[in-house]
Amino acid sequence: MKRLSIFVSGNGTNLQRIAEYFANNPEVEIANVVCNNPKAYSIERAKNLGIPLRMVTKQDFNSEVFVAEMQSLDIDLIVLAGFLWKLPEGLVKAFPKRIVNIHPALLPKYGGKGFYGEHVHEAVVAAKEPFSGITVHYVNELYDSGEIILQAHVALDEKETPDSLAAKIHSLEQAYFPVAIEYVLRSQN
Ligand code: GRF
């Protein structure tokens, strides 16, 4: 049995998709959802999906107690699905090559501090990039800089706007993030 922990901060469309994708897979279960934002719709989604919810404060999240708690859950893969806090070094070190993140652009461009959500699409459209896409990557102690696992591309139209690009990127996330997670789980010993 492979156990996932999904870290969220927002709407949770990736959480929803991942839960639905693995719903009929007896080998994969979502052990918990970790959320840092009391206003996140992800909280409703976790409740509706019947997945245990662990809310964290900044103090919690940066404590060794939280790392020990995560280790006690026998998690095979931590999945950052729109989680906006940088991971504490202790957590990253405790889960080597067992933390993945999705970024709504083609890293290494348009990544790093401040590049999240709409800000990414605004920058890509402003730069008149011919393509954008998603990047699923392993997480290390820096922002958006771990080994890349999967990238999917989409062309920008002449009249692309940040909103229209966001919709295209969202479709790529829904299609490929669960597949990338499944690939990583299969590649673990
Ligand atoms: C997605 O755009 C993802 O690429 C980024 O944060 C957003 C999460 O959206 N990391 P949701 O909360 O899963 O709907």
Side-chain angles (χ1 to χ4, degrees):
M1 174 66 78
K2 291 288 187 182
R3 288 164 56 81
L4 302 178
S5 177
I6 302 186
F7 288 21
V8 295
S9 298
N11 183 353
T13 58
N14 283 287
L15 160 63
Q16 187 75 34
R17 177 77 189 101
I18 292 162
E20 289 167 358
Y21 183 89
F22 290 108
N24 302 318
N25 182 334
E27 295 304 309
V28 178
E29 67 179 352
I30 302 176
N32 71 352
V33 169
V34 173
C35 182
N36 66 346
N37 171 8
K39 297 193 183 68
Y41 187 63
S42 291
I43 295 170
E44 280 307 299
R45 292 185 194 271
K47 282 183 186 147
N48 296 339
L49 290 162
I51 301 170
L53 176 68
R54 169 64 157 96
M55 294 302 292
V56 286
T57 62
K58 199 91 172 173
Q59 194 180 1
D60 271 348
F61 187 65
N62 287 289
S63 70
E64 285 171 18
V65 169
F66 181 69
V67 177
E69 181 186 319
M70 289 301 295
Q71 288 174 309
S72 71
L73 289 171
D74 290 331
I75 300 297
D76 296 287
L77 189 64
I78 294 175
V79 177
L80 308 188
F83 191 70
L84 294 180
W85 285 352
K86 195 162 170 296
L87 298 195
E89 210 166 310
L91 186 66
V92 176
K93 288 199 178 337
F95 289 86
K97 289 206 80 170
R98 286 192 294 147
I99 309 174
V100 295
N101 180 48
I102 187 164
H103 184 74
L106 297 172
L107 293 175
K109 292 179 76 173
Y110 304 105
K113 204 156 174 49
F115 278 108
Y116 61 90
E118 276 299 295
H119 305 296
V120 177
H121 309 312
E122 282 157 8
V124 168
V125 168
K128 296 198 180 321
E129 292 284 351
F131 294 97
S132 189
I134 59 167
T135 303
V136 180
H137 62 93
Y138 285 109
V139 171
N140 59 25
E141 45 279 359
L142 306 173
Y143 262 120
D144 297 335
S145 65
E147 178 193 340
I148 290 176
I149 298 161
L150 175 145
Q151 289 191 310
H153 299 69
V154 65
L156 274 71
D157 301 329
E158 271 302 296
K159 301 188 217 44
E160 201 72 58
T161 65
D163 281 353
S164 62
L165 179 56
K168 289 181 177 179
I169 297 297
H170 186 258
S171 303
L172 291 179
E173 292 173 350
Q174 298 280 296
Y176 291 103
F177 199 12
V179 172
I181 291 165
E182 193 169 40
Y183 168 80
V184 169
L185 292 175
R186 285 222 181 97
S187 65
Q188 294 181 338
N189 48 18

